[in-house]
Amino acid sequence: MTHIPPPAEELRLLDLELRRLDARRAQLLHRRAWLVTALHTAAPQAPAPVAPPRPEASAPRVQNVLLLLGGVLLTIAAIAFTLVSWGDLGIAGRALVLGAVTVAVLAAPVPLLKRGLRSTAESVAGLGLALTVLDAYALHAAALPGTDGTGYTAVASATLAALWTAYGLLPLASALRLPLPAALVAAQLPLTLGAMAADAGVHVVTLAVLVTAACDTAVALRMSARPVRLTAVVGAYGLGVSGVWAAGWLSWTATGPSAAARAAALLLLAAAVVLTAAWQPAGGRQAGGLALAAGLLTVAAVGGTVRPVLPSVWTVPAYLACGMALLAVARPARLPQSVREGLVHASAVVQGLALLWTLPPVALALTGPVSWIGVWSGAPATVRSAVTADAPWPPHTGTAPLVLAAVTVVLFLTRDAVGRTRALTGVLVLGWATALVLPAVLDVPYTVALVALGCTTTGALAAAIWIRTPERPEPLRLTATILALLTTLPLVLLSLADESATLAVTAALTALFAAASWTPRLAPVTPPAALGYATALACASGAAAGWRAQDTAALVLVVPVVAALLAARLGDGARATVPVEVTGALAALLAFALAAASGDLPMLALVLALCAVIVSATALRPGRRPLAFAGTALFVLAAWVRLAAWDVGTPEAYTLPVTVPALAVGFLSRRRDTGVSSWTAYGPGLAATLVPSLLAAWGDPHWARPLLLGLAALAVTLLGARHHLQAPLLLGGTVLALDALHELAPYIVQVTDALPRWVPPALAGLLLLAVGATYEQRLRDARRVRDFLGTMR
């Protein structure tokens, strides 16, 4: 029978066998690695395959370079022959040489194309075209030397363009790619040079440039050959931009209706060409840009026509009206989508430029009243004189409110659902800018301007409260709130010109923002604004009443009190709580600065005490417990200032107000947590009084202070020993010892002076002998004292 071991024994045997197998496998792997290394070292290293060198230039490229170089050299030789050897031949010889060489070179590409030598044929054709240019030059130099150079160049370029076109369209030479682009390049010159030769004037020259660009556009739209289309596009853009620039300059500098009309006709011609190109199906992605350019050219043309007959102040509104008219032109559905979008974008560009023109008066109306800060010199007659106290009013900006209002209406009528929120935001901003700049433009009386700015602020706050939109009202509400706050800047600055205006404006703004604070949507902004303007009202009221700065500081403290009460009412979870508390803290800081600047210590102490009361009351809220330390610090600081006002020089009068609260806080801390060390709980409070008193006692020649300090230190030491507390025991004992040493110092000095010189060394020796004799006992006593102190807290 087969013996089957118990499971534990069988498991042990299996583990033993597996370990043997692992050891054998490791031995075999090690031997295999050694053999592989030995074979790799003994085998000869085969050289790495060397890749054949790659040619730096392909055969077609070499061929093209050689052909181009050959054509250039032949062209140079022809130029040298024409310029140097031309005069050695007669008329017949010249004609024979020119005709024979040119015909031969132009005919050479035909057999080359039949043999498949296309690149060679192109090079020879290029040489032939260059020879025709030299023929034209030679003809002018020999037969027509007295003709006008500009006119002859115009005729020659037209002739060459026609000949090269005919040559490129021949059945035998139609496979050549060079003649037709070269003919198109030559065709760029005839009209412009002809107009210049005829002294036709700048308008006709510009017309010639634009007509040439129109022809290039037609070629680019109709031709399918890539070289011809590329050449036509370059010519159309180059000449088109040049012609449009010249026509725009003529329109802007036109001084009469006739000149403006001629420049407008040029711009309209360019606009028609560009719009035709945009309308074509082949326009592709460029159709939108071309339509935008057509719209801008149309606006420049029509606006330039009416500009000379209108006053300068109506120039921008005239162009703006033309730009807005593009929106009506782009409305029909029969227009391609890209054309409609381009016209709409052109209108947007015109409106944007008009808005840029209105920025200087708007900025001046917003920031111009800064010059009235701190001045109660009397109200100016009109608002313009107040706004332009330090800067001149921009000229010809009387229609800025009209421009702003017109763009506002356009944005309000926007029907795009996607951009509706952005459009309404723009309506708010532009409507606000219109209301802001209108009083300065109309130069209304000072009081009327204040009322208008107040109405603007009220309207912006009302918009922030009553905005109702189906989607995303938050950006609109935030924008309206910010605009209301911005409007108060020039309003308050303008009111500083007059005392009664300052009081009325700050009171009205305080009431307005306080009333708006009942709306939860505006809670994070309007309550702090109301408190801020209430602070300004308090300062203005104190100044108007003739109060001193320290008296005004007490009035300003009403704002922190209101802020603390409001924050407690709102609760820690409200969004407006922190802004309200920050505003109250800033108002309290202002009150402190006013009291400190006056140098009145009793009033400064009162302000600090009131601030301490406010902070301590705020610390009663569960989420503001750490403010209790700040309240205590303010109380202590107020006490110090009060003592300084009474000329109190006793240090205990300053330190005891710190020690008593600190000890109370430490006592409460140890009651809540018995693990708090006595050094943490009582150390700072005791040191705040004992250390300054000890320093004062060492310099005090009288006996009362050292005696009282010694009694206090003795009491602290006994309390520490009674309750097993390290901090009172060691601090009290140390101060008591040092105080006693201070009192005994004179007697010690007297005794030391009375003893002989040998007594101190003898006493020192005896002390050392006594210590050495009882060294072990002293160590045991020191360990016992250390252990006893370690048991204390």
Side-chain angles (χ1 to χ4, degrees):
M1 296 179 64
T2 303
H3 172 69
I4 299 177
E9 181 65 18
E10 185 178 3
L11 180 62
R12 186 185 65 81
L13 295 176
L14 289 177
D15 290 340
L16 180 61
E17 190 65 26
L18 288 174
R19 283 195 296 270
R20 290 175 181 174
L21 291 176
D22 290 340
R24 182 58 177 169
R25 185 174 184 275
Q27 181 181 4
L28 294 176
L29 288 175
H30 179 72
R31 179 62 179 173
R32 180 183 181 280
W34 182 85
L35 292 174
V36 169
T37 303
L39 291 175
H40 183 72
T41 305
Q45 297 293 332
V50 179
R54 297 180 57 187
E56 297 183 359
S58 61
R61 183 174 300 178
V62 173
Q63 173 188 348
N64 293 334
V65 171
L66 292 178
L67 292 175
L68 178 61
L69 182 59
V72 170
L73 292 177
L74 289 176
T75 303
I76 293 174
I79 294 173
F81 169 77
T82 304
L83 296 177
V84 177
S85 303
W86 182 256
D88 297 336
L89 299 175
I91 296 178
R94 298 171 185 177
L96 181 61
V97 171
L98 285 174
V101 174
T102 303
V103 171
V105 173
L106 290 176
V110 176
L112 292 175
L113 288 174
K114 292 181 178 180
R115 296 193 177 189
L117 302 176
R118 183 182 183 86
S119 299
T120 306
E122 294 285 354
S123 300
V124 175
L127 176 60
L129 299 179
L131 288 177
T132 56
V133 176
L134 293 177
D135 291 343
Y137 169 76
L139 179 61
H140 179 268
L144 304 170
T147 58
D148 178 60
T150 305
Y152 179 80
T153 305
V155 175
S157 59
T159 304
L160 290 176
L163 291 176
W164 292 350
T165 302
Y167 178 70
L169 295 177
L170 289 175
L172 297 178
S174 59
L176 295 174
R177 292 178 295 181
L178 185 59
L180 291 181
L184 189 57
V185 171
Q188 308 300 309
L189 303 177
L191 290 179
T192 304
L193 294 180
M196 295 173 62
D199 294 331
V202 65
H203 289 83
V204 178
V205 174
T206 305
L207 176 61
V209 173
L210 291 176
V211 169
T212 305
C215 295
D216 290 335
T217 304
V219 173
L221 294 175
R222 298 301 178 186
M223 296 297 292
S224 59
R226 181 178 177 81
V228 179
R229 289 192 61 188
L230 181 59
T231 306
V233 168
V234 172
Y237 276 105
L239 293 179
V241 171
S242 302
V244 167
W245 180 267
W249 179 255
L250 291 174
S251 176
W252 184 254
T253 57
T255 56
S258 177
R262 285 181 290 169
L266 295 175
L267 291 172
L268 289 176
L269 172 62
V273 173
V274 175
L275 186 60
T276 303
W279 204 298
Q280 300 298 320
R285 292 177 297 178
Q286 299 178 355
L290 293 174
L292 185 148
L296 294 178
L297 291 174
T298 304
V299 171
V302 180
T305 303
V306 299
R307 182 189 58 81
V309 299
L310 293 176
S312 299
V313 72
W314 291 98
T315 299
V316 175
Y319 282 101
L320 178 61
C322 298
M324 291 179 176
L326 291 178
L327 297 176
V329 175
R331 188 175 297 275
R334 64 177 179 273
L335 293 177
Q337 180 65 24
S338 58
V339 174
R340 288 204 304 269
E341 291 179 355
L343 294 178
V344 171
H345 292 161
S347 177
V349 170
V350 175
Q351 296 178 51
L353 294 176
L355 292 179
L356 286 178
W357 174 74
T358 63
L359 282 182
V362 172
L364 193 58
L366 182 63
T367 61
V370 173
S371 57
W372 293 101
I373 291 180
V375 178
W376 276 356
S377 58
T382 61
V383 68
R384 180 80 63 87
S385 58
V387 170
T388 59
D390 293 334
W393 184 257
H396 310 304
T397 55
T399 54
L402 179 61
V403 171
L404 291 168
V407 179
T408 303
V409 172
V410 172
L411 288 177
F412 182 75
L413 297 177
T414 300
R415 301 296 182 183
D416 186 9
V418 178
R420 182 65 175 170
T421 302
R422 286 180 293 180
L424 291 178
T425 304
V427 168
L428 287 176
V429 175
L430 295 180
W432 167 81
T434 304
L436 180 67
V437 78
L438 186 60
V441 170
L442 298 179
D443 200 13
V444 298
Y446 174 74
T447 305
V448 176
L450 292 181
V451 173
L453 290 175
C455 293
T456 303
T457 304
T458 306
L461 278 180
I465 294 173
W466 297 106
I467 282 177
R468 295 289 189 275
T469 55
E471 55 180 13
R472 299 184 62 194
E474 290 80 10
L476 297 176
R477 188 174 298 120
L478 178 61
T479 302
T481 307
I482 292 175
L483 293 177
L485 293 176
L486 282 179
T487 312
T488 60
L489 174 64
L491 177 59
V492 173
L493 294 178
L494 280 177
S495 68
L496 293 178
D498 184 70
E499 178 180 329
S500 58
T502 303
L503 295 174
V505 167
T506 52
L509 290 178
T510 302
L512 178 63
F513 283 100
S517 300
W518 292 101
T519 303
R521 305 184 189 94
L522 306 181
V525 179
T526 51
L531 293 174
Y533 285 114
T535 305
L537 176 61
C539 295
S541 300
W547 291 359
R548 299 175 301 172
Q550 56 269 32
D551 300 329
T552 304
L555 181 60
V556 171
L557 282 179
V558 176
V559 177
V561 173
V562 175
L565 295 176
L566 181 59
R569 175 65 181 275
L570 293 174
D572 296 337
R575 295 185 301 168
T577 302
V578 174
V580 166
E581 291 177 341
V582 171
T583 307
L586 293 177
L589 185 62
L590 176 61
F592 170 77
L594 291 174
S598 64
D600 190 350
L601 294 181
M603 184 57 69
L604 179 59
L606 176 61
V607 170
L608 289 173
L610 293 176
C611 292
V613 172
I614 297 171
V615 174
S616 300
T618 304
L620 296 177
R621 290 161 46 196
R624 298 294 185 267
R625 299 298 189 194
L627 290 178
F629 298 101
T632 303
L634 288 174
F635 273 122
V636 171
L637 188 59
W640 287 356
V641 174
R642 182 73 261 183
L643 291 174
W646 288 337
D647 295 329
V648 175
T650 304
E652 289 79 10
Y654 295 91
T655 57
L656 284 177
V658 178
T659 297
V660 173
L663 293 178
V665 172
F667 177 74
L668 295 176
S669 299
R670 283 184 60 84
R671 286 191 62 181
R672 287 196 304 266
D673 184 6
T674 57
V676 177
S677 172
S678 63
W679 289 103
T680 303
Y682 304 120
L686 293 174
T689 295
L690 292 178
V691 174
S693 298
L694 179 62
L695 295 177
W698 273 75
D700 192 349
H702 304 288
W703 59 271
R705 181 185 298 276
L707 176 61
L708 294 176
L709 177 62
L711 292 176
L714 178 61
V716 170
T717 304
L718 293 177
L719 287 175
R722 172 68 179 79
H723 297 284
H724 298 276
L725 299 175
Q726 283 188 8
L729 179 64
L730 294 182
L731 285 175
T734 302
V735 172
L736 180 61
L738 292 177
D739 185 62
L741 179 63
H742 171 264
E743 291 301 309
L744 295 176
Y747 304 102
I748 295 175
V749 171
Q750 293 178 3
V751 172
T752 303
D753 292 339
L755 291 176
R757 301 274 183 165
W758 55 269
V759 174
L763 293 177
L766 291 175
L767 178 63
L768 293 176
L769 289 175
V771 170
T774 60
Y775 182 72
E776 184 177 1
Q777 181 64 32
R778 300 286 80 77
L779 289 178
R780 189 160 44 256
D781 294 341
R783 293 191 188 97
R784 189 177 295 111
V785 172
R786 184 193 62 187
D787 295 338
F788 174 73
L789 292 176
T791 59
M792 294 183 178
R793 301 297 299 276

